Amino acid sequence: MEGNMSLSLKVWRQSNKETAGGFENYKLDSVSPDMSFLEMFDVLNEQLIEEGKEPVAFDHDCREGICGSCSMYINGRPHGPLRGVTVCQLHMRSFNDGDTIVVEPWRAQAFPVIKDLVVDRDAFDRVVSAGGFISVNTGNAQDANSLPIPKEAADDAFSAAACIGCGACVAACKNASAMLFVSAKISQLALLPQGQAERSIRAEKMVAQMDAEGFGACTNTGACSAECPKEISMENIARMNREYIGAKFSSSAV
């Protein structure tokens, strides 16, 4: 694509979770196709500040696709039109001159809006705190060869651990289910020797916390995996269900 673009933006604005929000329309000219989507929002906010208006609040941090902070629902899809890409790695060349782009926050009861496009994803942290860890004294790091792990198990654990906790799976799901996220956090430990100590109670505790946070149930639609920027597999959900059933038979959790 050659030359800069002119775009129309419909951006969700909301002061906080207690107030009603709505879309506001903005016009941007001279948008470079080489800009990232967040850089385009930086330009919008500079324009708003120069006009004496309040800038749009949005989450961001590393801008390298690894921190999971950016969370925008763009034209009806979490993170925008491309597969396997976070908002910060989405570039404006994916859009056309004259396009209207609709930008919203994640929509889920468990992710209340803090302001504009920023949502509170502390629910994920509480789910992980419930059981997504190993409580052992590790001391110094052991030599890698002292814990032999089958290549397939190591690869599957690594793929699950690629989850960045952005919440796109919840936003994409018609039930606002967090099963893909929770299953990835369970799988990355269940597949490795280090995760065996609390394996019998981990799934039970994390699923209980997931339900307590108000996430919906999984109906195997598959939108979560399809929209996940790290393309986490739904095989992890099947593994989590097996871990959960096993935990119910052997758990001593209170």
Side-chain angles (χ1 to χ4, degrees):
M1 180 183 295
E2 297 182 2
N4 292 337
M5 301 181 291
S6 294
L7 299 169
S8 296
L9 302 176
K10 292 184 68 175
V11 181
W12 185 264
R13 304 301 305 266
Q14 186 173 342
S15 297
N16 54 61
K17 66 179 181 180
E18 307 297 336
T19 60
F23 286 104
E24 292 193 11
N25 297 315
Y26 303 105
K27 184 76 173 178
L28 273 185
D29 297 315
S30 301
V31 175
S32 169
D34 295 324
M35 284 181 179
S36 73
F37 202 86
L38 296 190
E39 287 171 338
M40 182 270 293
F41 257 81
D42 291 337
V43 172
L44 170 63
N45 279 343
E46 288 175 3
Q47 177 177 302
L48 291 175
I49 292 171
E50 288 176 357
E51 295 171 355
K53 299 177 181 178
E54 188 172 10
V56 179
F58 62 94
D59 267 331
H60 63 98
D61 192 359
C62 73
R63 300 201 178 199
E64 295 179 348
I66 56 176
C67 73
S69 293
C70 53
S71 52
M72 295 184 186
Y73 209 75
I74 302 168
N75 286 347
R77 295 185 63 182
H79 292 297
L82 302 184
R83 290 200 66 172
V85 173
T86 56
V87 173
C88 59
Q89 295 292 290
L90 176 68
H91 288 81
M92 299 313 298
R93 53 180 168 268
S94 298
F95 302 91
N96 298 312
D97 184 36
D99 276 356
T100 297
I101 304 175
V102 182
V103 187
E104 306 171 68
W106 290 165
R107 304 288 191 183
Q109 178 183 338
F111 290 161
V113 172
I114 296 175
K115 185 174 183 180
D116 296 338
L117 304 176
V118 180
V119 298
D120 184 351
R121 286 173 286 182
D122 284 352
F124 272 6
D125 294 331
R126 290 189 289 270
V127 170
V128 172
S129 296
F133 55 84
I134 55 171
S135 54
V136 294
N137 295 321
T138 57
N140 293 330
Q142 295 185 8
D143 183 85
N145 293 326
S146 67
L147 289 173
I149 301 171
K151 176 73 163 55
E152 184 177 350
D155 288 345
D156 288 345
F158 186 85
S159 295
C163 169
I164 57 176
C166 65
C169 52
V170 176
C173 179
K174 62 182 181 180
N175 306 318
S177 172
M179 290 280 276
L180 192 69
F181 165 78
V182 178
S183 68
K185 298 306 175 185
I186 289 174
S187 291
Q188 70 186 42
L189 296 175
L191 290 163
L192 299 176
Q194 295 92 331
Q196 301 310 303
E198 289 135 325
R199 185 175 182 178
S200 62
I201 59 173
R202 180 178 296 111
E204 187 175 4
K205 286 185 173 182
M206 293 181 72
V207 169
Q209 187 63 41
M210 175 183 71
D211 291 341
E213 295 295 342
F215 292 107
C218 175
T219 50
N220 291 310
T221 304
C224 54
S225 184
E227 298 293 354
C228 174
K230 298 304 177 181
E231 301 181 293
I232 302 297
S233 172
M234 288 183 68
E235 290 180 2
N236 291 296
I237 296 178
R239 183 179 296 109
M240 184 187 80
N241 288 334
R242 293 192 296 270
E243 293 289 317
Y244 183 76
I245 293 172
K248 279 297 185 182
F249 279 113
S250 60
S251 174
S252 59
V254 294

